[in-house]
Amino acid sequence: MTAIAAPPRAPEQAPPPPRSPRVLSFSQRLSKWDLKLSPYLYISPFFLLFAITGLFPIAFTAVISFQEWDLVRGEGTFVGFDQYIWILQQPHFWTALRNTFSIFLLSSVPQLVAAVAIAALLDRNIRAKTFWRMGVLLPYVVAPVAVALIFSNLFADRFGLVNTLLGNVGIGPIPWHTDPFWSHIAIATMVNFRWTGYNTLILLAAMQAVNREYYEAATVDGAGAFRQFTSITLPSLKPTLIFVIITATIGGLQIFDEPRMYDQFGRGGAAQQWLTITLYLYDIGWGQWNFGRAAALAWILFLIILVIGLINLLVTRRLVRDDGRRGAISRTAARAARRRRKESA
């Protein structure tokens, strides 16, 4: 046998010389800094304006709430919690608190229910859907003062249109301005008229983001429209519902324009039938010229809104399931969608 010669070995290469460290020029450093810092510079105007027009007034109001403030000298005397104690001892405060919660419940609950129902209708394939979607937003564009003036005349006790129509069907006139409950109904109607369309469009945008394959699979499995709505749509609206409920809570507890313009005096009624906390705050600050007590009432209202908002958040998280993943129809729809994707592949 002849021996096979081994292939020649390649000559060993010398290791490459070490590279010298790269020196960045000033323009390259500036470009690197710009890439890192420019996003923060773009958003900084908002935070600067918020600090000036938001955080500073909040902090300054907290300081004033512990003082007997002198408007002439622009300074005050520290009195501790005396201003808060004075507010909590006033019968008008508890009347305003009761009226505020009454109007809030009569407006927010029907408003959210109506917004969800209207959004579900607009989410369907209907004719002229763009027209209807824009139409529900028109009441929000109307100035709140104009809405209050129109509705205060509609709900007038003697010559209002609502009482006139009720009289034509044999129903006696309703005391819209003298009875607390009916005055709350009238003011809540104004609030619902203005804000239902706004919340409807927010919920409609969330509904359109739901995967349509879930509905197709649920339809194949025999689920009706109501079952699809309760098992797919509502669970998928959890983040949006939390946002809408919290914003409705904040707006409902801070209601001012509608009760202010409900009559010609703007004092919450002769017997404080619709006196709200913001109306009472306005009267203390600009009627009695006591900014210390007004600041204390503002912070009490802030704490009330914070507590109610946290309660709403906890309740909403328990009632609305996570993103539609726990409903029976949602699980079935997901499995059917995965099956169809595998078959098509």
Side-chain angles (χ1 to χ4, degrees):
M1 297 179 59
T2 59
I4 300 176
R9 295 175 58 186
E12 295 184 358
Q13 296 181 354
R19 291 193 306 174
S20 60
R22 183 182 177 185
V23 179
L24 296 177
S25 64
F26 177 75
S27 60
Q28 291 174 328
R29 292 179 181 177
L30 186 63
S31 176
K32 188 177 181 180
W33 293 339
D34 177 68
L35 185 62
K36 290 183 178 181
L37 299 179
S38 59
Y40 301 98
L41 294 176
Y42 295 150
I43 64 176
S44 61
F46 166 77
F47 290 100
L48 292 176
L49 290 175
F50 177 72
I52 296 172
T53 63
L55 292 180
F56 174 74
I58 292 174
F60 191 62
T61 304
V63 173
I64 293 177
S65 67
F66 292 101
Q67 299 182 7
E68 188 69 40
W69 192 256
D70 190 340
L71 297 176
V72 177
R73 294 183 294 120
E75 58 185 21
T77 305
F78 182 78
V79 294
F81 288 93
D82 290 351
Q83 306 287 30
Y84 292 88
I85 296 173
W86 185 90
I87 291 292
L88 296 176
Q89 289 177 346
Q90 299 305 305
H92 283 359
F93 168 75
W94 298 105
T95 301
L97 184 63
R98 180 198 63 196
N99 294 340
T100 301
F101 273 95
S102 176
I103 297 173
F104 160 67
L105 293 175
L106 290 173
S107 61
S108 298
V109 176
Q111 177 189 141
L112 294 176
V113 173
V116 172
I118 297 173
L121 292 176
L122 295 177
D123 191 39
R124 305 180 70 86
N125 190 16
I126 58 176
R127 292 183 179 181
K129 56 185 178 181
T130 303
F131 169 77
W132 297 114
R133 292 173 182 176
M134 294 299 297
V136 297
L137 195 60
L138 287 179
Y140 177 72
V141 180
V142 182
V145 175
V147 173
L149 290 175
I150 293 172
F151 275 83
S152 62
N153 288 285
L154 288 176
F155 291 104
D157 291 341
R158 296 184 59 187
F159 305 107
L161 179 60
V162 177
N163 276 344
T164 301
L165 295 176
L166 293 176
N168 293 334
V169 296
I171 301 177
I174 296 176
W176 296 108
H177 283 74
T178 56
D179 185 79
F181 174 74
W182 291 113
S183 63
H184 297 176
I185 290 289
I187 295 173
T189 304
M190 303 182 206
V191 179
N192 293 335
F193 174 78
R194 287 198 64 235
W195 290 98
T196 300
Y198 173 82
N199 292 325
T200 296
L201 290 186
I202 294 178
L203 293 170
L204 176 62
M207 289 181 184
Q208 292 183 330
V210 180
N211 193 343
R212 297 295 161 175
E213 291 184 352
Y214 291 168
Y215 296 102
E216 296 173 3
T219 303
V220 172
D221 291 342
F226 181 77
R227 184 67 187 280
Q228 294 180 24
F229 176 77
T230 56
S231 299
I232 298 177
T233 305
L234 278 183
S236 301
L237 294 180
K238 175 190 172 181
T240 309
L241 279 175
I242 293 175
F243 170 77
V244 170
I245 290 173
I246 292 178
T247 54
T249 301
I250 296 173
L253 295 178
Q254 290 181 340
I255 183 172
F256 177 79
D257 294 327
E258 289 81 1
R260 171 72 176 173
M261 301 300 299
Y262 190 52
D263 66 353
Q264 58 183 341
F265 303 106
R267 302 294 297 272
Q272 290 79 46
Q273 301 95 311
W274 62 87
L275 177 69
T276 61
I277 293 181
T278 51
L279 271 181
Y280 187 43
L281 188 154
Y282 181 84
D283 179 67
I284 293 176
W286 298 105
Q288 305 176 21
W289 292 96
N290 195 318
F291 282 10
R293 292 173 181 174
L297 180 56
W299 269 89
I300 291 174
L301 177 60
F302 169 75
L303 295 176
I304 292 173
I305 293 175
L306 182 63
V307 172
I308 300 299
L310 292 176
I311 293 175
N312 281 338
L313 180 62
L314 295 177
V315 172
T316 307
R317 281 185 172 180
R318 289 184 177 273
L319 293 181
V320 184
R321 292 167 292 186
D322 295 338
D323 300 331
R325 288 192 290 268
R326 297 182 186 177
I329 295 296
S330 299
R331 289 196 300 269
T332 305
R335 287 196 297 267
R338 287 195 297 268
R339 261 198 325 267
R340 285 198 306 274
R341 284 196 294 269
K342 290 181 180 179
E343 292 174 356
S344 62

